[in-house]
Amino acid sequence: MKKICLISAAMLSLFTATSCCNKAEEKPQVKNVIYLIGDGMGFGAVSSLLLAEDGVTGFEQAPVIGLSETCSANNYVTDSPAGGTALATGTRTKNGYLGVDPDGQQLTSVLRKAQAMGKRSGIVVNTTLTEATPGAFYAGVTNRNMTYDIAKQFTESQVDVAIGAGLSAFINRPDSVDLTATLIEKGYDVYLDWKSVLNTSSDKFVGILTMGDVHRRNKSSNTTASAADGAEVCLAAKLAAASEESGDTTRLSEPTVYLQKATQKALEVLSRDNKQGFFLMIESAIIDGYGHNNDSDGMIVEMKEFDNTLRQLVAYVNEHPETLLVVTADHETGGTAVAYNSHEVGNPTPVKLSFSTKGHSGTVVPIFAYGAGAEAFAGIMKNMDLPKKIEELMK
Ligand SMILES: [Zn+2]
């Protein structure tokens, strides 16, 4: 009898413990969401950073790690528009489509859903504001090259702060409309230079900068921007190649910290009077370009810059515990690997990536999650699951 009582007591304590844990597992409060996307950032890119960097990277500070299958609706290998659409809207679409389903119907992004919940929103990219990945969060077109339409849809996006490049699509237009004037009419401050962006105290602004402002010039070797293996020659590849072709060895000091500083600026704006929370999407676009160009040195430098932004965001999350930070890639680019070659531990030979394609690959990509609700991103999932999980956590 005594033994039975003991068992019952043990069962009771187990039950209590379970109840206790269930209580503790109640839905976490996610007020702010930061979605950091490394375009083309696969395991090779992350591995090269981990091996090249002695300090503790932002990746290593992630309490939760998952994997994402990056297929599009019609191919194991996605392009950036379809990859961005899955990450933004929770629906897989055909390659080439952006923000619309395979039938061409407009989808609603998780950024739009955050806005509908009363959250403020922001977009920070080191490419044009109309590129595929940011575009997937506010636009809907059946061809990524419909840049003029994407720019027009950007003016209707209602984001509170946006910083990137690509002025031409806003002012040199076939319809002769000056979309910077449209933005001003809608209550935005519009800045066309980096200093004004850095110094502004505006609560609602768009910074449309030059490519030189948002991306460093880097001298490297062994570069072609050709599209082997059916690869898209995306803007990022051209950018990475153009900067190298220039032979300019001088590092412009601002672009090397652009993404970090622009992110900091957006956080400063969105954190101001932040009652309902915010949704901030950040894209580091040129990792993809170095993958297309099979440029190991360029990719590693780019990953170090990505990590500077990431470490800053991890510090923000640590200070603001109601914030969820999700870091992932839309796809892998270059079929990257740290192959055997001459790599030896302790040998000062720099880390060199090998590449198996000049295009994207269908290899799964990593997910790193931090802060409130991060546990939801453990395990293997599909690219379109990520925004669904974020939406659920925001409710
Ligand atoms: Zn690409």
Side-chain angles (χ1 to χ4, degrees):
M1 186 62 189
K2 198 177 176 187
K3 197 176 178 186
I4 291 168
C5 287
L6 279 174
I7 290 167
S8 301
M11 283 177 75
L12 183 67
S13 74
L14 182 68
F15 176 75
T16 311
T18 309
S19 311
C20 161
C21 292
N22 280 343
K23 202 167 186 184
E25 282 167 13
E26 270 174 13
K27 222 180 100 199
Q29 272 292 315
V30 177
K31 182 179 171 190
N32 309 314
V33 175
I34 304 171
Y35 205 0
L36 173 61
I37 300 173
D39 200 309
M41 186 182 73
F43 283 102
V46 176
S47 302
S48 68
L49 174 77
L50 296 179
L51 296 173
E53 186 63 60
D54 289 334
V56 179
T57 65
F59 294 101
E60 290 158 280
Q61 296 176 54
V64 176
I65 296 173
L67 299 176
S68 166
E69 296 173 27
T70 61
C71 313
S72 70
N74 63 338
N75 203 297
Y76 289 128
V77 181
T78 187
D79 63 5
S80 284
T85 301
L87 289 179
T89 69
T91 299
R92 279 180 172 165
T93 193
K94 292 195 272 195
N95 282 351
Y97 280 26
L98 177 67
V100 294
D101 72 12
D103 298 323
Q105 295 300 308
Q106 177 75 54
L107 296 163
T108 305
S109 77
V110 64
L111 179 147
R112 295 272 199 195
K113 287 173 181 168
Q115 288 174 331
M117 291 174 199
K119 294 185 189 300
R120 303 187 75 207
S121 56
I123 291 176
V124 171
V125 293
N126 62 356
T127 180
T128 64
L129 288 166
T130 52
E131 254 287 298
T133 311
F137 285 81
Y138 63 82
V141 289
T142 51
N143 184 331
R144 72 178 301 171
N145 297 321
M146 295 165 72
T147 311
Y148 298 117
D149 296 274
I150 300 170
K152 185 159 188 309
Q153 291 175 30
F154 173 82
T155 66
E156 291 149 14
S157 68
Q158 296 181 26
V159 294
D160 296 283
V161 53
I163 314 172
L167 182 62
S168 182
F170 289 82
I171 57 170
N172 300 321
R173 300 173 52 79
D175 60 10
S176 303
V177 175
D178 178 352
L179 292 182
T180 60
T182 309
L183 286 166
I184 291 166
E185 278 164 28
K186 287 175 184 275
Y188 286 96
D189 291 311
V190 176
Y191 305 116
L192 305 182
D193 67 288
W194 181 220
K195 260 201 180 125
S196 299
V197 169
L198 278 178
N199 295 331
T200 185
S201 54
S202 172
D203 286 332
K204 188 177 174 183
F205 77 87
V206 180
I208 315 178
L209 310 170
T210 66
M211 280 299 183
D213 284 326
V214 305
H215 193 255
R216 78 199 135 80
R217 300 179 84 75
N218 174 38
K219 185 170 183 335
S220 188
S221 55
N222 222 358
T223 295
T224 49
S226 62
D229 309 339
E232 53 170 344
V233 180
C234 57
L235 176 67
K238 288 180 194 158
L239 247 183
S243 59
E244 288 148 15
E245 278 165 8
S246 75
D248 184 355
T249 54
T250 57
R251 287 282 166 80
L252 302 178
S253 59
E254 287 295 81
T256 61
V257 291
Y258 160 78
L259 198 65
Q260 197 182 344
K261 285 195 175 182
T263 298
Q264 196 172 20
K265 190 71 192 179
L267 284 175
E268 175 195 316
V269 174
L270 296 173
S271 300
R272 223 178 273 154
D273 193 23
N274 179 29
K275 291 193 185 69
Q276 304 288 325
F278 64 77
F279 184 100
L280 174 61
M281 176 267 168
I282 307 158
E283 188 207 11
S284 176
I286 323 295
I287 300 164
D288 177 61
Y290 290 113
H292 282 295
N293 294 334
N294 289 183
D295 179 349
S296 173
D297 295 344
M299 185 174 273
I300 294 170
V301 172
E302 199 67 20
M303 285 304 297
K304 286 185 177 177
E305 291 180 16
F306 183 94
D307 187 50
N308 289 338
T309 303
L310 174 56
R311 279 187 284 118
Q312 173 181 288
L313 289 171
V314 173
Y316 183 91
V317 171
N318 290 339
E319 285 166 24
H320 301 83
E322 290 178 318
T323 306
L324 165 68
L325 167 62
V326 179
V327 183
T328 193
D330 50 355
H331 52 75
E332 198 275 347
T333 306
T336 49
V338 181
Y340 183 70
N341 295 335
S342 59
H343 293 112
E344 289 172 34
V345 173
N347 184 334
T349 311
V351 178
K352 276 275 176 202
L353 284 165
S354 302
F355 297 87
S356 60
T357 173
K358 289 205 167 217
H360 299 172
S361 80
T363 311
V364 295
V365 297
I367 304 165
F368 304 87
Y370 313 70
E375 304 75 25
F377 298 88
I380 302 176
M381 61 201 79
K382 301 187 191 321
N383 47 3
M384 75 272 202
D385 295 333
L386 277 82
K388 290 178 190 162
K389 286 174 186 281
I390 293 172
E391 183 189 352
E392 200 50 45
L393 286 163
M394 283 192 302
K395 279 180 187 164

